[in-house]
Amino acid sequence: MIRPMRPEEERKVRELAHLCHPGWKLKPAGWYIAMPTLVRSAARDRVVGSTSFYVSWPPSKDWVTSEYVMWGYDVCVHPDARGKGLGQELCEARFRLAKDIGLRFFIGMTWPSNAAMLRIFERLGCHQSPERIAGAYPENPRPDQIGLMFTKGL
C-alpha cells in the first residue's frame, strides 16, 4: 500500500534516496517531512519506494495554464524491488493525489539516461515538453546533462 510517509520514516527515505541517487548530496533533515512524500514499505521497518512532489506555479507565464500544478520531484525504488511496477504505482499515486486536491496538470523531470523513468512517463501518457531544464535539480547540478520535462493533463 502506498501511503504518506510518517515522520519517523524520514531517515529511511533519505537513505533510500541516497541509494538510488548516490551522486546526490543528501537532503537536509526535515526535507521529506516539509515536502509531501509518499512511501511503500515491504515490512514495518523497511521502505522500498518513495516519491516526493510539490505544488507550485507552472514553468512560465506562457504555459497552457496559470493554475497551480503538481511537480514530481523524485521516484526512488530499492534495487531489490525494481522491475515489479512500483515506480509506476508511485507515479499513479501522485496523479490520484493531484486530482483529489483539484489540480489539473502534472510536471515531471528526468535525465535522458534514466531509461526506467522514461518508460514510466510513456506508459502513463505523459508528453515530453519541448522545454529543457539545465540543472533540473539545482542542488545537485549535472552539467553533462539537460533535464527533460514531461507533462500530463489530469
Side-chain angles (χ1 to χ4, degrees):
M1 176 178 87
I2 295 172
R3 57 169 173 72
M5 181 192 80
R6 294 189 285 266
E8 64 270 16
E9 294 173 312
E10 185 196 20
R11 181 183 55 76
K12 293 174 187 152
V13 169
R14 289 177 73 220
E15 289 169 357
L16 177 63
H18 185 64
L19 177 67
C20 293
H21 307 289
W24 287 17
K25 292 183 261 178
L26 281 177
K27 302 285 184 246
W31 171 269
Y32 291 102
I33 292 173
M35 182 172 282
T37 301
L38 300 174
V39 299
R40 180 165 176 202
S41 46
R44 188 163 175 77
D45 62 342
R46 185 167 174 241
V47 172
V48 295
S50 70
T51 186
S52 299
F53 51 90
Y54 59 97
V55 175
S56 186
W57 299 107
S60 72
K61 64 181 171 109
D62 301 324
W63 208 61
V64 296
T65 183
S66 60
E67 304 169 31
Y68 283 120
V69 299
M70 177 180 278
W71 288 82
Y73 188 72
D74 63 356
V75 174
C76 298
V77 176
H78 192 280
D80 295 345
R82 291 182 184 163
K84 300 173 184 161
L86 178 54
Q88 184 167 325
E89 285 181 48
L90 288 161
C91 289
E92 289 170 340
R94 286 193 299 202
F95 296 163
R96 283 191 303 275
L97 180 62
K99 282 183 187 178
D100 289 350
I101 62 174
L103 300 177
R104 297 186 316 130
F105 293 96
F106 168 84
I107 299 172
M109 297 169 283
T110 195
W111 301 113
S113 60
N114 189 342
M117 197 68 228
L118 293 171
R119 283 191 304 272
I120 289 170
F121 279 146
E122 181 180 345
R123 282 195 304 260
L124 292 176
C126 296
H127 302 282
Q128 187 173 334
S129 169
E131 297 177 64
R132 299 289 185 268
I133 303 154
Y137 304 100
E139 72 282 2
N140 296 294
R142 291 187 46 186
D144 59 319
Q145 291 190 9
I146 301 296
L148 302 178
M149 182 186 293
F150 289 82
T151 61
K152 180 175 175 67
L154 302 172

